[in-house]
Amino acid sequence: MATRDLDVTILRETVARLIVEANYNIPADILDALRVAAAREESPLGRRTLEQLVRNYEMAAVERVPVCQDSGVAVVFLEMGQDVHWVGGSLHDAIHSGIREGTKSGYLRRSVTGDPTRRLKMAWEPADPKGRPYDVGVVHTEIVPGSGVRLTVASKGFGAENMSAMRMLVPADGVPGIIDVVVETVERAGANACPPIIIGVGVGGTFEASALLAKKAALRELTIRNARPDLAELESTILDRVNALGIGPQGLGGRVTALAVNIEVLPTHIAGLPVAVNLGCHSTRRMRIDRS
Ligand code: SF4
């Protein structure tokens, strides 16, 4: 098959647009889950909190303002067909320029610091001494079959990100060990993760692969359960365990601590069992577009 030329300008503009839309509009599946949660929460304070969250998100969409003051770190997943050929400039620079433009045009908080040691102040300077823009987000690219492109733009709030965790278990820990890691992570997070949360769990692979898998799991639509019946059942079991902790909406007590547990798995070494838990807050923002 012939290669398909795609201009990075379109990519830059699309990233800029999606970062704004993601910050103004909570995904419909999450908003629906919050409405359902408000109807079934037993705690009066928890119920009121959920109702206020729903109202907040409805107003943000109508008035076109960010859903939360923490516009987070932009995380971009670009799945591109192996027959795609990007033209018109640097793919890397186009994505980061798009994040930069969207952050500015959408009046989003510049939550990213270019230097994690905080010694240098650089991320939002126009360009480095060589004229290239500084990175202002996290980008993952993946080559897939075909000539299509799938772009996912998420804004990751750090209340929840800070409380995420990774453990290298041993095979003997088994499924009970996986459950314990998730439940302990949520218990330790408490109110800091801005519950009700979405729990992404990556099991298997290697150290870094499980963390990436957990991030993808946290961004999976809540209406989708794992296709493997035993893993779908495990998602449900862990959700029940987590919601029995009593942390509740915003940590004020109640039955709804999490909206969903999403598990993804990868093959791993016979001597290991990596488990990563990526927490997403109630302001989990994601937008996807497919271009086939
Ligand atoms: S973790 Fe989420 S809800 Fe909490 S402050 Fe950050 S973006 Fe907002």
Side-chain angles (χ1 to χ4, degrees):
M1 179 188 268
T3 56
R4 177 191 191 190
D5 286 354
L6 290 176
D7 199 303
V8 295
T9 307
I10 297 169
L11 180 62
R12 191 194 79 228
E13 291 170 354
T14 307
V15 169
R17 181 169 54 82
L18 293 192
I19 205 95
V20 176
E21 294 307 318
N23 271 278
Y24 290 3
N25 298 282
I26 284 293
D29 59 310
I30 297 177
L31 198 48
D32 284 348
L34 286 168
R35 288 192 184 106
V36 170
R40 75 179 167 88
E41 175 55 85
E42 296 166 10
S43 149
L45 189 52
R47 197 163 51 242
R48 271 210 306 283
T49 304
L50 289 164
E51 287 165 355
Q52 284 173 3
L53 289 177
V54 169
R55 180 90 182 107
N56 174 65
Y57 295 144
E58 289 171 343
M59 285 177 67
V62 170
E63 298 189 10
R64 294 198 52 80
V65 293
V67 294
C68 185
Q69 45 75 33
D70 175 9
S71 46
V73 170
V75 181
V76 175
F77 286 91
L78 178 64
E79 294 167 57
M80 47 195 175
Q82 64 192 34
D83 299 320
V84 170
H85 175 223
W86 292 100
V87 297
S90 155
L91 180 75
H92 174 274
D93 290 359
I95 294 174
H96 287 280
S97 294
I99 297 170
R100 198 178 281 266
E101 285 173 20
T103 302
K104 186 174 180 196
S105 68
Y107 303 101
L108 309 179
R109 191 179 78 184
R110 295 172 172 180
S111 298
V112 169
T113 173
D115 178 11
T117 70
R118 273 71 175 175
R119 289 184 175 147
L120 307 177
K121 187 179 172 192
M122 52 190 239
W124 299 94
E125 300 292 326
D128 69 13
K130 292 182 178 166
R132 293 193 60 187
Y134 289 109
D135 288 4
V136 285
V138 175
V139 178
H140 303 284
T141 53
E142 193 176 334
I143 307 292
V144 297
S147 58
V149 172
R150 169 176 255 218
L151 178 67
T152 304
V153 175
S155 291
K156 194 68 181 69
F158 254 53
E161 193 77 356
N162 278 337
M163 304 314 293
S164 300
M166 200 277 162
R167 288 269 303 279
M168 298 300 286
L169 300 182
V170 295
D173 291 322
V175 170
I178 296 169
I179 296 173
D180 285 349
V181 169
V182 181
V183 175
E184 285 166 21
T185 301
V186 175
E187 193 163 27
R188 182 177 55 86
N192 292 331
C194 294
I197 54 176
I198 295 158
I199 305 170
V201 185
V203 181
T206 51
F207 179 82
E208 85 289 358
S210 65
L212 185 56
L213 199 60
K215 173 73 69 201
K216 289 181 178 175
L219 295 176
R220 193 174 88 196
E221 281 73 6
L222 306 193
T223 48
I224 301 174
R225 297 294 92 222
N226 194 294
R228 256 177 62 179
D230 61 319
L231 294 178
E233 192 182 334
L234 185 58
E235 291 174 342
S236 169
T237 300
I238 298 177
L239 184 61
D240 288 346
R241 285 278 302 274
V242 161
N243 282 337
L245 291 171
I247 297 168
Q250 289 289 38
L252 297 170
R255 289 284 156 215
V256 185
T257 299
L259 298 175
V261 176
N262 295 344
I263 299 174
E264 297 290 344
V265 297
L266 277 176
T268 193
H269 194 280
I270 51 173
L273 179 54
V275 180
V277 184
N278 189 219
L279 303 183
C281 61
H282 55 70
S283 284
T284 290
R285 289 146 289 182
R286 57 167 143 74
M287 285 256 161
R288 276 199 186 97
I289 60 159
D290 287 291
R291 188 166 163 181
S292 53

